Amino acid sequence: MNQHARVDDKPIPFIDVAAQRRHLGSAIDDAVARVLAHCQFIQGPEVRALEAELAAFCGARHAIGCSSGTDALLLVLLAWEVGPGDAVICPTFTFHATAEMVALLGATPVLADVRADTFNLDPESLVRAVAAAKRLGLRPRAIIPVDLFGLPADHDAIAAIAAAHGMLVLDDAAQSFGATYRGRKLGTLAAATATSFFPAKPLGCYGDGGAVFTDDDALAARVKSLRVHGEGVDKYDATHIGITGRLDSIQAAVLLEKLKIFPAEIVARDRAAARYAKGLADVAIAPRTGNESTSVWAQYTIRLKPGRRDGLAATLKAQGIPTAIYYAKPLHRQTAYRHFPVADGGLLVSDALAEEVISLPMHAYLDAAVQDRIIDAVRRALAG
Ligand SMILES: Cc1ncc(COP(=O)(O)O)c(C=O)c1O
């Protein structure tokens, strides 16, 4: 840092994992030390304890720890035997991991548009994506809605469409574990839910991690087998083709400590989001909050008039305020995904959002003074 920088220009973290680490203090060190003492690094007691806590937290019958959010998605798709000839509808405005495992298994991701007010799968575009899949001779097998930036998708509408077409729903809650939809926590709203514990996520570990949630006993048993190479009665009995998809005991130990403070952190994130909304609603389009859903605010993403974003990002950067663009390129604009079919009617909302969105620093340890500095800087930049 420039030693002459004014206190006001001190760099602000985008997500402050170090502040959380200070807050947790020796609790994490002690939890990791317990694993180092018993040496059960794989499938140790912390993994089972975490799975029980996660299931109780969200109300799902089963929580199954796995090696990442991507592997959580893969394990469910493998369990459902999704493959060539199957269409899986995914929103195009998401991180590409949502559609990645579908393509890896030889199935076809069919990309649908999102709603401008929630950034989440548009049920009308979803219906048009199913029609496109059928016209191409594909079997519509599953839908992967994403609860983007921490806010649940419209799960009731999606469930009704899935039921009408005999499709399964795998909820990609990588960014949104802890959020609620009509009074229910994510993890219980679809046949299966996948989440990520990547360090920057609202509930993150200190490496890679993830989980699958389901109420379906048979699916849970299959996922548990697949995460250990498709094991049968024991690990030297192979009944399915699987992967190394387990969550490490050390990561589970970290998550058990973090889960204790997670409810308070969700309240703090919500308070920060409300402060942003109050300070910015007249200069930008603030993200929607409704009475149907609560968000865990993985990102605080505002929309600007086209052409304003680059100037704002540069002005804020000069003042030590980081921003990020999620997502400048929706999946249908990505080299690896642009050949996949899209919903009839196009993906116009996603293309517009890709030009308009910008995310501001957001975490549970964002204090009011720092946030006022960010709000003030955004207001001055947009007025100029
Ligand atoms: C929407 C979405 N899906 C899936 C993933 C994959 O999670 P992981 O990085 O744990 O594999 C991410 C991670 O950023 C994500 O944002």
Side-chain angles (χ1 to χ4, degrees):
M1 191 180 78
N2 173 354
Q3 69 186 82
H4 300 298
R6 289 181 295 127
V7 172
D8 276 4
D9 290 344
K10 234 176 92 192
I12 291 173
F14 189 67
I15 292 173
D16 200 347
V17 282
Q20 187 199 47
R21 173 83 183 94
R22 285 192 296 277
H23 177 72
L24 284 161
S26 61
I28 297 268
D29 303 55
D30 295 347
V32 172
R34 286 193 289 274
V35 180
L36 298 182
H38 67 53
C39 290
Q40 293 177 58
F41 302 117
I42 305 291
Q43 310 271 69
E46 289 77 12
V47 175
R48 289 189 294 280
L50 177 71
E51 289 176 340
E53 296 274 336
L54 289 172
F57 181 90
C58 72
R61 207 167 139 77
H62 302 277
I64 305 155
C66 30
S67 39
S68 69
T70 307
D71 287 338
L73 291 167
L74 174 61
L75 286 164
V76 174
L77 294 170
L78 275 173
W80 285 344
E81 299 179 3
V82 169
D86 290 337
V88 178
I89 318 295
C90 306
T92 189
F93 194 69
T94 181
F95 181 60
H96 47 267
T98 302
E100 190 176 26
M101 296 300 106
V102 176
L104 195 73
L105 290 174
T108 304
V110 180
L111 305 174
D113 212 355
V114 298
R115 289 175 47 147
D117 56 349
T118 61
F119 307 122
N120 281 328
L121 187 58
D122 175 359
E124 287 174 17
S125 182
L126 168 59
V127 170
R128 293 195 292 267
V130 175
K134 285 186 176 165
R135 212 180 41 248
L136 291 166
L138 297 165
R139 237 180 352 258
R141 273 299 300 286
I143 303 165
I144 308 187
V146 179
D147 309 295
L148 204 73
F149 305 150
L151 182 74
D154 189 353
H155 284 282
D156 283 351
I158 292 164
I161 295 163
H165 295 277
M167 298 169 80
L168 293 158
V169 181
L170 166 54
D171 185 18
D172 181 348
Q175 304 183 2
S176 49
F177 184 67
T180 63
Y181 174 82
R182 296 189 172 158
R184 289 160 66 196
K185 284 215 173 70
L186 295 187
T188 61
L189 292 158
T193 301
T195 199
S196 165
F197 300 129
F198 184 81
K201 298 293 189 237
L203 180 63
C205 56
Y206 287 162
D208 280 309
V212 169
F213 301 91
T214 185
D215 288 344
D216 176 341
D217 295 345
L219 176 65
R222 179 71 82 96
V223 167
K224 282 184 184 168
S225 158
L226 290 169
R227 77 174 166 174
V228 193
H229 305 287
E231 71 177 3
V233 287
D234 62 43
K235 70 178 177 176
Y236 298 108
D237 175 38
T239 51
H240 299 94
I241 306 289
I243 60 170
T244 305
R246 301 168 293 236
L247 181 72
D248 294 345
S249 305
I250 288 181
Q251 298 305 341
V254 168
L255 284 164
L256 277 168
E257 295 309 312
K258 289 202 183 193
L259 194 56
K260 290 179 191 159
I261 60 166
F262 191 44
E265 289 187 335
I266 294 174
V267 172
R269 284 172 176 276
D270 211 36
R271 202 181 304 126
R275 264 195 241 124
Y276 270 141
K278 191 154 172 265
L280 297 175
D282 60 331
V283 294
I285 303 177
R288 176 177 143 154
T289 45
N291 14 353
E292 300 228 309
S293 300
T294 59
S295 177
V296 287
W297 304 106
Q299 305 296 341
Y300 192 84
T301 304
I302 56 173
R303 287 165 56 203
L304 304 174
K305 292 202 182 81
R308 301 302 312 267
R309 184 169 71 187
D310 291 351
L312 175 66
T315 308
L316 295 182
K317 189 174 176 202
Q319 297 172 56
I321 302 172
T323 57
I325 311 298
Y326 303 116
Y327 296 94
K329 276 202 274 180
L331 299 193
H332 66 284
R333 303 273 170 210
Q334 299 279 2
T335 309
Y337 294 90
R338 63 180 169 221
H339 61 285
F340 288 117
V342 306
D344 297 342
L347 307 168
L348 302 179
V349 174
S350 298
D351 277 333
L353 290 176
E355 303 283 323
E356 295 172 3
V357 288
I358 183 164
S359 303
L360 302 174
M362 168 52 87
H363 53 86
Y365 301 87
L366 192 57
D367 68 51
V370 172
Q371 210 181 349
D372 285 346
R373 195 181 126 199
I374 300 168
I375 291 169
D376 192 46
V378 173
R379 295 190 67 85
R380 276 188 285 116
L382 292 177

